[in-house]
Amino acid sequence: MTRQTLSRSSRGMKRAATTSGHKTITHSKRAKPSTAGPPRPKKEASQQAESIGAPQKLSDAKWTAWSRHADSPPFPSFARPTREECYTAHSILEELHGDTVRKNFGETDMNYPIVMDALVVAAISQATSWANAQRAMRSMHDVYGSTFAYDAIVAGGPDKLRDALRPGGMQNRKAKILMGLLHDVKARHGRWDLQYLFDKTDEDVVKEVVSYWGIGLKCAHCLLSICLHRNRFAVDTHIYRISGLWGWRPNDAGVGDAQAHLNICVPDDIKFELHYQLIVHGRECPVCRGNGSGKLANCTNMYNHLQHNNLLERCYIRVTRDAHPL
């Protein structure tokens, strides 16, 4: 049927409807085509569902990585560090960096008895120095009246929070993490209160903490150690690097397995202090800091020579001190 025939047929149908007494509805203008678009393909809908579930999958992966060796050593045949090495390192690091540790991580600065506040501090401190984290928190205090003014932070929105975090760097990511954390805690618990974690097992604490977007295992261990006063050894980028240089973990160990390994090896009574001593050493030692690899080969050769001749205890830090006094 041609377009002309279809037009004549339509006019005939309208006339027939009119003469038979039925009311015919006509439009003076042609209807605009729909802009709604075709139905969403099943594949696209599936991809959207996957993106929504991605944070949960990441949370599950972090929990699985931790729980795999929560109560068992990841490297049962790897004997280092020994308890003696840990105590030797603790003693020497106290001599080298004790004053700096107390100045940077003193009792006042690290005293966060409110779990929610401690978790916020841990999130701000991720992937940066404590000095940068302090700059960010001071700026938040200036902007909101307190680093922990959660009502004001949420009401101000993400742009204001980004500006407040800017002095500490990484403000885009950290604003997203903090806004997500505040939203999720309130949605899950009805208020910004995580004090119930004091009565939970380490496993329950880790599972709760890593369930929040952008919060990792290091934050969970810091919360366990600093706020909840559990005997847990947290591993940051400095400690991970140093433990590899000193032979305190297998070379191919990931951060999660290294943390599980060192948590078992480091004696409970020095876990808290050794954590901060190693952080400071990782920033200040010309051999062990991130950009100190140029001197590492010579220092390693010296260490191997002295170890072979039994002139020093089997601890890399002793050679670091003697070869490169700070």
Side-chain angles (χ1 to χ4, degrees):
M1 183 180 293
T2 65
R3 181 178 299 178
Q4 187 177 8
T5 305
L6 179 60
S7 178
R8 286 198 300 268
S9 175
S10 297
R11 287 197 296 270
M13 291 175 64
K14 287 181 181 180
R15 284 195 297 269
T18 302
T19 56
S20 63
H22 293 287
K23 185 177 181 181
T24 303
I25 300 175
T26 60
H27 299 279
S28 59
K29 294 183 180 180
R30 180 178 296 176
K32 294 182 179 180
S34 172
T35 58
R40 186 190 302 272
K42 290 184 178 180
K43 182 177 180 181
E44 185 178 343
S46 174
Q47 289 174 344
Q48 185 184 42
E50 288 180 4
S51 67
I52 293 173
Q56 182 61 45
K57 290 181 179 179
L58 179 59
S59 170
D60 292 344
K62 289 187 288 187
W63 162 250
T64 301
W66 181 82
S67 61
R68 188 160 44 98
H69 297 298
D71 299 313
S72 61
F75 312 112
S77 61
F78 196 90
R80 301 190 63 209
T82 64
R83 290 177 62 86
E84 290 72 23
E85 285 181 305
C86 292
Y87 282 118
T88 299
H90 175 265
S91 176
I92 297 171
L93 287 170
E94 170 60 29
E95 180 183 338
L96 288 174
H97 308 301
D99 291 340
T100 303
V101 169
R102 282 182 286 277
K103 179 180 178 181
N104 291 343
F105 305 104
E107 184 69 24
T108 302
D109 286 343
M110 301 307 296
N111 185 22
Y112 295 103
I114 306 300
V115 180
M116 184 68 198
D117 297 353
L119 186 55
V120 166
V121 172
I124 295 173
S125 305
Q126 285 188 124
T128 191
S129 67
W130 179 237
N132 283 338
Q134 287 177 310
R135 291 188 190 98
M137 289 188 287
R138 282 195 295 267
S139 177
M140 290 177 68
H141 186 279
D142 293 340
V143 172
Y144 299 109
S146 169
T147 304
F148 314 117
Y150 302 135
D151 286 302
I153 293 171
V154 171
D159 291 340
K160 185 175 181 179
L161 180 57
R162 274 193 293 270
D163 288 340
L165 291 168
R166 194 178 303 277
M170 300 179 66
Q171 62 273 7
N172 292 334
R173 176 173 174 79
K174 294 195 174 181
K176 185 177 180 180
I177 290 173
L178 289 183
M179 277 297 185
L181 176 63
L182 294 177
H183 175 272
D184 291 346
V185 170
K186 188 73 171 287
R188 190 178 301 178
H189 301 290
R191 55 184 179 173
W192 292 302
D193 186 351
L194 296 174
Q195 292 301 98
Y196 83 100
L197 291 178
F198 270 105
D199 300 322
K200 295 297 182 179
T201 65
D202 290 359
E203 290 76 10
D204 289 336
V205 172
V206 172
K207 196 167 189 176
E208 170 83 16
V209 171
V210 301
S211 70
Y212 298 113
W213 186 87
I215 307 293
L217 288 171
K218 187 219 169 191
C219 282
H221 276 249
C222 286
L223 189 73
L224 284 166
S225 175
I226 298 170
C227 179
L228 303 180
H229 307 295
R230 313 284 176 87
N231 290 319
R232 286 286 170 178
F233 188 75
V235 172
D236 78 333
T237 182
H238 297 293
I239 298 174
Y240 178 72
R241 181 179 64 254
I242 291 172
S243 63
L245 293 176
W246 294 359
W248 281 19
R249 61 168 173 82
N251 289 331
D252 58 350
V255 176
D257 285 344
Q259 183 158 280
H261 172 69
L262 292 173
N263 185 63
I264 292 173
C265 293
V266 176
D268 287 347
D269 59 323
I270 60 172
K271 274 186 168 76
F272 186 81
E273 293 178 358
L274 187 59
H275 168 78
Y276 291 106
Q277 290 173 340
L278 287 169
I279 289 175
V280 173
H281 187 71
R283 295 172 185 167
E284 297 189 357
C285 175
V287 174
C288 299
R289 65 190 179 199
N291 60 356
S293 58
K295 299 179 181 179
L296 180 59
N298 292 335
C299 199
T300 302
N301 290 336
M302 183 186 298
Y303 167 64
N304 291 335
H305 173 74
L306 294 174
Q307 179 188 4
H308 178 73
N309 289 280
N310 295 319
L311 296 178
L312 289 178
E313 294 179 68
R314 192 181 179 187
C315 182
Y316 190 93
I317 180 63
R318 178 62 62 86
V319 180
T320 300
R321 184 189 66 172
D322 292 346
H324 304 286
L326 298 179

